[in-house]
Amino acid sequence: MLARCLPALLPPLAQEEALEVRQVLSVCGQHEAAATAAVRRPFRAPHHTITVPALVGGGRPVVPGEITRAQHGVLFLDELPEFPRRLLDLLRQPLEEGVIRLARANRSLAFPARFQLVAAMNSCPCGNLGLKRKPCKCTPGDVQRYRSKISGPILDRIDLRIEVGTPPADKVGVAAAPPHVSRLAQESRQLRRRIAAARGRQVDRYAGFEGVHCNAQATAELRRTLIGARREAIDFLRRAMTHWNLSVRAFDRALAVARTIADLEGTSDVDVQHVAEALQYRLLASSGEMGG
Ligand SMILES: [Zn+2]
């Protein structure tokens, strides 16, 4: 449900982004959707039995896959460990470059693939690890095998990892009363405004750099120049990098997340507390210690 809510919380598509989404829809034969006045951020949730061409594009004639259909929107992979590892590894390049290159007999093709990846998984094969009410029946070996289905390089490209508990029994399956609904709607509006303001700051920051609208789209070099991180924040991150043996990518991505946290707060400088929060999201689930 959280993943499905995400596209609506993101700011409306910029003109240039909307044009790209329309192009993808029309290449996929969805001419009616491509021509609607208000084109929305896509939400795609392929099943783990999906084929390689259906995920990344291919076939004859070549058609874009789910990652291109998710352009400027959300690609949601539920039950992440159920996806074959070779399939997940194909996501590495597009996650890095925002584009998928397909090799054909005598030429190479490129489709846009700039999406936000959201994935969900259980804490263990039975799903009860860490729950108070139900016992987990898995052996440590089962848990280890389950988690190792997601390769290190893919995990390294997931910037925010959050443990989601089971809601209390009295909150499950109960239709929200009207006052509750209106409060939720109000909270969503506030959240949307905050996100829009943060995105606005990012658009201003990267004005003049073509195709860059937010922290995630900037190159690591560009971010390092424009991010406005305090010296103490960088020192703190360097120490963390040594302590947890983080990759250079992890360093750069943590800095980007810290910048976004500061943007959501409306703060001009990235400080130690922003970096600390960003690291907290990254370190959960690394080295197999996924809460629980
Ligand atoms: Zn279990």
Side-chain angles (χ1 to χ4, degrees), residues 123-129 135-139 142-143:
S123 51
C124 67
C126 85
N128 290 344
L129 187 64
C136 165
K137 299 182 195 81
C138 313
T139 67
D142 294 337
V143 176

Side-chain angles (χ1 to χ4, degrees), residues 77-139:
L77 304 182
D78 199 4
E79 304 283 354
L80 189 64
E82 301 296 328
F83 283 80
R85 203 166 164 155
R86 61 186 172 85
L87 218 61
L88 295 181
D89 283 338
L90 290 172
L91 298 178
R92 282 159 61 173
Q93 185 218 348
L95 281 172
E96 209 67 23
E97 299 172 30
V99 77
I100 177 81
R101 292 177 216 287
L102 304 167
R104 279 289 163 272
N106 46 13
R107 65 199 175 116
S108 135
L109 264 172
F111 283 131
R114 194 172 283 291
F115 54 88
Q116 232 170 324
L117 173 68
V118 180
M121 67 185 284
N122 285 320
S123 51
C124 67
C126 85
N128 290 344
L129 187 64
L131 298 185
K132 288 191 188 80
R133 280 174 279 130
K134 291 180 194 163
C136 165
K137 299 182 195 81
C138 313
T139 67

